[in-house]
Amino acid sequence: MTSAPSKLYADDVSLLVVTLDTNPFFWSTFPFPFADFLSQVLAFLNSILLLGQLNQVIVIATGCNSCGYVFDSTSDKNHGSTTGTMPALYSNLLHNLDQFVARDQQLASPHTPGTVPSSLLSGSLSMALCYIQRAFRSGPMPPQPRILCLQGATDGPEQYVAIMNAIFSAQHSVVPIDSCYIGSNNSAFLQQASYITGGIYYKPPQLDGLYQYLSTVFATDLHSRAFLRLPKSVGVDFRASCFCHKQTIDMGYVCSVCLSIFCEHHDKCSTCGSVFGQAQLDASAADRKRKA
Amino acid sequence: MPEVRIIAKNFMDMVASMQAMKLDKLYENGFICEAILRSLPPLAKKYVIQMLHIDVPVAAKLLEEWVLPDGVSKHRVAIDRLVQLRVFLEAVDRKNEKTYKVNPTFQRSLQKLLVQGGTLPRESMPSNITVRLPTLENLEAYALEQWECFLLQLISPSQVEKPLNISSSLMKVFQRRILSHRDKEAPKLTESGFQFLLMDTNAQLWYIIREYISNSEERGVDAAELISFMLELSFHVIGEAYSINTLTDFQRNIINDLADLGLVKLQQGRKGSWFIPTKLATNLSMSLSDSSSRKQGFVVVETNFRVYAYSTSKLHCEILRLFSRVEYQLPNLIVGAITKESLYNAFENGITADQIVSFLQQNAHPRVAERVPSVPENVTDQQIRLWEADLNRVEMTEAHYYDEFPSRDVFEGACDCAREWNGLLWEDSKKMHMVVKTEAHHHVREFLRRQK
């Protein structure tokens, strides 16, 4: 897997799609309050809009049961953003976010207590890509799109396939996925996403100065990235999830026909239906073990 | 040959050349800071945002560490620009190292803009007072029409059916560098005038605004105040009505001129009058940046040198006429051909091949704009540039011819003297002839006089 070549851009007009983790289960257990987080992010979004009149910012909220657009700087409702009157941005976004969180809560399904349900990152990535595809078709000079994932909750292994598909389609359309992971450990999904699409993965060591990290690292437009030394990830966790139990595994079985991954031996591939051979179980299993 | 060039996008140079005190006063206005920020090169913008909340000076070395080897020149341009505009203040710290700090006034204004948002000095009028506001499409059409009318009046006043009421003295200011007035002759476009016509609308607009501002001192208007009003105006919302009463007397005078240029539309209702900013006004701050203009083109160039321009505008026709032979005109289409004669005509008028090519490329019709190259190569590289090179085969240099030297020593001494001044063009040592550039002529003459 090689990281995607980046396109060369002549100017710095950018379309930034931000996915915002609103997972209540994560934020209620996290020491840094959501309100502080949000105020720093809002200032960051403002500064992106401040940088150029043609810049666009889209915010997609990532809940744990649904995802939704909460802000679009191009929509007519908040013409304020084009003039730079920020209160319009704030009030609009906060209003939509409130509505979204309430709606997301209604959809909640019971989960096993003691575990933190993961956020629907795959959903918001897909929505971001859909929006970008629409922007590509909008005219002869589409802005340069990039996605920024502000993620806190841990990865949901059950979303592995969907997320990887989103990553590959982003790679295909040359859209870098930047990720700013604020949770405690590293996120393997986001590391892979940024690595494969040529984006930046960064985990701010201190959340008090989040704005400074965001403006220093993630405010860099694609044009300027060709000239700057930006943080590179030291190591990328390439581990995959198995298709049968949705667990992250180091070693497993791979279907030779469709490349589905399983944590234990099956007689038949559950994805494509190929029948696996029975003999030399040990030898073939050793062959097909996969460690990325 | 002196090269006359209009540098249209250097409005910021004008701002940069202002006195530090005046500049700092300008930066008290958040909108001006925003406009200045947007005009900066991409890398410079990033540096400002990055340093916006840092109150202590940052070592220059620290900034350089971020730059890849490829970006060193861009980095330098960005830093130079920032220092020029006094956005970054340069200082030397105790360890004798260069440091940068964001101008505190600029920093405060921008921080305030980021956190609290900016409020315009005036609010748009409620819709129950304003009646028959134009739609956005109408407004854009109005602005473009007004602008083209202005341009046409600028270059050929006789063609205009209903002249704008711009005072003739102001019009003369605009025409100063574009038209040359010879005695008793019809005014002719100058070299820079031709170049002006080939620029895109934003660049033209800035050229005019720049002339307007640089002339302001003569009219007894404060340039700083004018600049701040213009930049402020660019943050008003397109199509919203703003009451004239919110303007100062000074601004009211200006707004009338701006209305003639198509930057605002003036309307009068039963309860007072108001102005409506058009796209041209809101583009003011945007067009400061070097980013390529994003508008739809209309020209298709074929490999057989035919030019099809899908346009109804008289102005476009005039522009095409500068370098091509217009063959026929349909209601929405101008058909012409690029010929050797038409190009020679253009070159004589001081238009360069690069300008023509970039005009054709910038205004390429969307259908051909996607192709690479948008203008066929055999037209651009092989002919337009070739024909230009044709004209440059002979270079003219004013010179003086010397002969009949009394002795070989004097001749050689004169040759050396001319060489010393870098002015020896040709010598024939057998017959003792030499040709010296005019610049070196009087040095050689002095030398010969001393020999006598």
Side-chain angles (χ1 to χ4, degrees):
Chain A
M1 259 186 289
T2 49
S3 90
S6 48
K7 263 193 228 170
L8 284 177
Y9 292 103
D11 55 17
D12 65 332
V13 180
S14 35
L15 163 64
L16 178 68
V17 186
V18 179
T19 71
L20 193 69
D21 194 353
T22 60
N23 190 338
F25 300 99
F26 164 75
W27 285 108
S28 59
T29 55
F30 197 62
F32 192 69
F34 184 65
D36 293 2
F37 167 75
L38 197 60
S39 65
Q40 307 218 28
V41 170
L42 284 181
F44 166 70
L45 296 181
N46 266 341
S47 42
I48 295 289
L49 289 175
L50 191 73
L51 284 176
Q53 192 167 17
L54 291 175
N55 283 359
Q56 289 176 35
V57 170
I58 317 294
V59 182
I60 299 172
T62 315
C64 47
N65 304 297
S66 64
C67 309
Y69 293 104
V70 287
F71 178 71
D72 182 345
S73 67
T74 55
S75 80
D76 294 334
K77 258 190 259 166
N78 43 32
H79 60 61
S81 60
T82 53
T83 61
T85 46
M86 299 311 176
L89 187 160
Y90 287 154
S91 59
N92 235 313
L93 199 155
L94 292 179
H95 174 73
N96 288 342
L97 198 61
D98 269 349
Q99 278 188 336
F100 170 79
V101 172
R103 215 169 343 118
D104 193 43
Q105 201 150 27
Q106 283 174 0
L107 292 171
S109 51
H111 68 281
T112 40
T115 57
V116 175
S118 57
S119 314
L120 272 179
L121 180 64
S122 57
S124 54
L125 271 183
S126 310
M127 281 173 91
L129 286 165
C130 285
Y131 190 94
I132 289 169
Q133 283 305 325
R134 202 171 70 196
F136 273 143
R137 287 168 173 74
S138 66
M141 299 277 278
Q144 303 152 16
R146 63 181 197 267
I147 299 176
L148 170 60
C149 298
L150 292 169
Q151 196 67 14
T154 48
D155 292 342
E158 71 281 357
Q159 294 175 45
Y160 177 73
V161 177
I163 288 182
M164 286 315 279
N165 283 338
I167 294 173
F168 289 130
S169 82
Q171 181 193 27
H172 184 72
S173 39
V174 201
V175 177
I177 300 178
D178 295 338
S179 22
C180 177
Y181 188 69
I182 52 174
S184 36
N185 296 315
N186 276 315
S187 156
F189 285 169
L190 289 176
Q191 275 181 338
Q192 291 188 47
S194 299
Y195 180 79
I196 293 170
T197 57
I200 308 162
Y201 175 88
Y202 191 69
K203 185 176 174 317
Q206 254 183 322
L207 285 182
D208 295 336
L210 183 67
Y211 174 81
Q212 193 59 38
Y213 292 112
L214 288 175
S215 64
T216 316
V217 178
F218 297 106
T220 321
D221 57 90
L222 300 183
H223 171 69
S224 301
R225 287 188 189 190
F227 315 114
L228 290 176
R229 225 184 283 275
L230 291 166
K232 283 210 178 87
S233 40
V234 191
V236 179
D237 184 355
F238 281 121
R239 280 184 306 166
S241 299
C242 69
F243 288 23
C244 44
H245 302 93
K246 316 287 183 199
Q247 280 160 351
T248 310
I249 49 172
D250 289 319
M251 236 184 252
Y253 297 83
V254 179
C255 166
S256 53
V257 178
C258 69
L259 300 180
S260 301
I261 303 162
F262 305 101
C263 59
E264 55 183 37
H265 181 77
H266 291 253
D267 294 341
K268 204 173 140 193
C269 172
S270 60
T271 313
C272 67
S274 312
V275 181
F276 299 141
Q278 295 285 321
Q280 302 114 25
L281 225 172
D282 295 334
S284 63
D287 273 352
R288 293 187 181 148
K289 76 183 170 187
R290 171 183 154 124
K291 188 179 179 190
Chain B
M1 197 166 51
E3 204 181 345
V4 185
R5 276 198 82 89
I6 297 184
I7 306 150
K9 285 182 176 167
N10 66 355
F11 173 75
M12 278 301 144
D13 289 342
M14 225 166 92
V15 177
S17 66
M18 280 169 44
Q19 296 155 4
M21 273 242 305
K22 270 191 182 169
L23 208 53
D24 283 355
K25 196 155 186 307
L26 272 188
Y27 287 159
E28 276 168 22
N29 185 329
F31 288 108
I32 293 173
C33 297
E34 186 174 348
I36 300 266
L37 180 71
R38 286 180 176 180
S39 80
L40 295 169
L43 215 49
K45 285 185 196 176
K46 188 195 144 29
Y47 290 152
V48 175
I49 286 296
Q50 186 174 330
M51 308 247 298
L52 194 60
H53 289 275
I54 299 178
D55 297 325
V56 290
V58 173
K61 259 196 199 145
L62 214 64
L63 271 179
E64 276 162 27
E65 271 173 13
W66 281 76
V67 184
L68 289 172
D70 280 357
V72 174
S73 62
K74 296 246 177 198
H75 169 78
R76 219 160 279 149
V77 168
I79 292 286
D80 283 352
R81 198 84 189 122
L82 288 170
V83 173
Q84 238 177 33
L85 284 167
R86 285 180 56 78
V87 174
F88 272 19
L89 303 180
E90 208 173 34
V92 175
D93 69 357
R94 259 177 269 149
K95 283 180 238 152
N96 218 4
E97 276 181 37
K98 220 191 264 176
T99 60
Y100 297 112
K101 186 177 181 307
V102 182
N103 184 335
T105 322
F106 189 88
Q107 193 171 24
R108 223 174 306 123
S109 308
L110 216 52
Q111 280 176 354
K112 197 167 150 236
L113 197 67
L114 264 189
V115 179
Q116 297 169 4
T119 37
L120 285 166
R122 59 192 67 85
E123 282 193 6
S124 60
M125 291 165 81
S127 54
N128 54 4
I129 298 181
T130 56
V131 278
R132 34 178 197 92
L133 281 185
T135 61
L136 285 181
E137 288 85 35
N138 286 347
L139 199 64
E140 193 173 339
Y142 164 83
L144 282 181
E145 192 189 337
Q146 200 77 1
W147 179 248
E148 288 203 351
C149 189
F150 165 74
L151 282 186
L152 210 58
Q153 188 173 354
L154 193 69
I155 54 169
S156 54
S158 53
Q159 281 205 29
V160 186
E161 285 134 27
K162 42 168 195 183
L164 305 165
N165 50 3
I166 297 180
S167 70
S168 58
S169 61
L170 199 58
M171 207 64 189
K172 282 224 175 71
V173 172
F174 294 146
Q175 287 170 342
R176 192 171 52 189
R177 301 237 301 262
I178 290 170
L179 290 183
S180 70
H181 292 272
R182 297 252 174 74
D183 304 324
K184 289 176 196 165
E185 256 180 67
K188 243 185 80 185
L189 271 177
T190 63
E191 214 171 292
S192 34
F194 284 110
Q195 295 181 0
F196 172 77
L197 279 187
L198 290 185
M199 297 192 292
D200 61 50
T201 313
N202 282 340
Q204 285 171 338
L205 183 62
W206 267 118
Y207 174 77
I208 291 298
I209 295 291
R210 215 161 53 93
E211 290 288 290
Y212 185 70
I213 293 175
S214 58
N215 174 254
S216 62
E217 304 277 338
E218 290 165 37
R219 282 178 286 131
V221 178
D222 183 23
E225 210 172 334
L226 193 55
I227 291 174
S228 82
F229 178 58
M230 294 269 187
L231 292 180
E232 199 178 276
L233 189 68
S234 67
F235 287 97
H236 287 56
V237 184
I238 307 178
E240 296 273 315
Y242 297 93
S243 170
I244 292 271
N245 294 331
T246 55
L247 300 175
T248 62
D249 284 347
F250 162 79
Q251 291 167 336
R252 232 173 282 178
N253 281 334
I254 298 170
I255 209 100
N256 282 328
D257 289 336
L258 297 185
D260 285 330
L261 294 179
L263 266 69
V264 291
K265 187 177 168 69
L266 296 177
Q267 273 191 340
Q268 204 148 25
R270 220 172 282 163
K271 294 177 192 161
S273 49
W274 56 85
F275 66 93
I276 309 159
T278 69
K279 214 173 171 182
L280 284 179
T282 49
N283 274 358
L284 268 178
S285 66
M286 185 175 78
S287 58
L288 287 173
S289 62
D290 287 335
S291 65
S292 50
S293 61
R294 292 165 170 249
K295 60 171 185 179
Q296 283 220 334
F298 59 94
V299 183
V300 179
V301 184
E302 290 190 338
T303 49
N304 58 5
F305 295 85
R306 285 191 150 251
V307 179
Y308 298 91
Y310 290 86
S311 165
T312 52
S313 137
K314 262 187 196 167
L315 185 73
H316 287 156
C317 186
E318 285 299 306
I319 293 175
L320 286 175
R321 227 183 269 283
L322 291 178
F323 59 86
S324 64
R325 190 182 68 217
V326 173
E327 287 175 345
Y328 40 91
Q329 248 181 301
L330 302 179
N332 67 339
L333 177 70
I334 305 161
V335 181
I338 297 178
T339 66
K340 195 172 178 178
E341 288 74 34
S342 70
L343 278 179
Y344 272 18
N345 235 337
F347 296 146
E348 258 168 49
N349 284 324
I351 304 176
T352 66
D354 283 337
Q355 281 170 334
I356 297 175
V357 172
S358 77
F359 173 82
L360 291 176
Q361 280 166 348
Q362 274 170 17
N363 290 293
H365 193 274
R367 280 280 175 83
V368 290
E370 294 159 15
R371 284 188 222 155
V372 180
S374 53
V375 181
E377 263 174 341
N378 74 321
V379 177
T380 55
D381 287 346
Q382 289 167 19
Q383 284 311 328
I384 299 187
R385 296 215 166 96
L386 201 72
W387 279 329
E388 188 191 37
D390 251 10
L391 286 181
N392 297 337
R393 272 189 305 198
V394 178
E395 198 183 331
M396 310 266 245
T397 311
E398 274 189 52
H400 289 254
Y401 171 71
Y402 291 77
D403 66 349
E404 292 180 20
F405 285 93
S407 70
R408 185 153 295 272
D409 283 348
V410 177
F411 170 72
E412 265 158 19
C415 279
D416 287 343
C417 171
R419 252 186 227 116
E420 222 167 84
W421 293 100
N422 208 9
L424 185 69
L425 286 172
W426 175 82
E427 57 164 303
D428 182 346
S429 53
K430 261 186 206 154
K431 291 180 184 159
M432 294 203 284
H433 299 312
M434 66 183 261
V435 174
V436 174
K437 271 191 205 165
T438 308
E439 293 98 275
H441 170 58
H442 70 273
H443 297 292
V444 176
R445 203 173 48 188
E446 273 300 298
F447 171 81
L448 290 174
R449 209 169 280 160
R450 264 182 276 134
Q451 297 294 312
K452 274 176 192 167

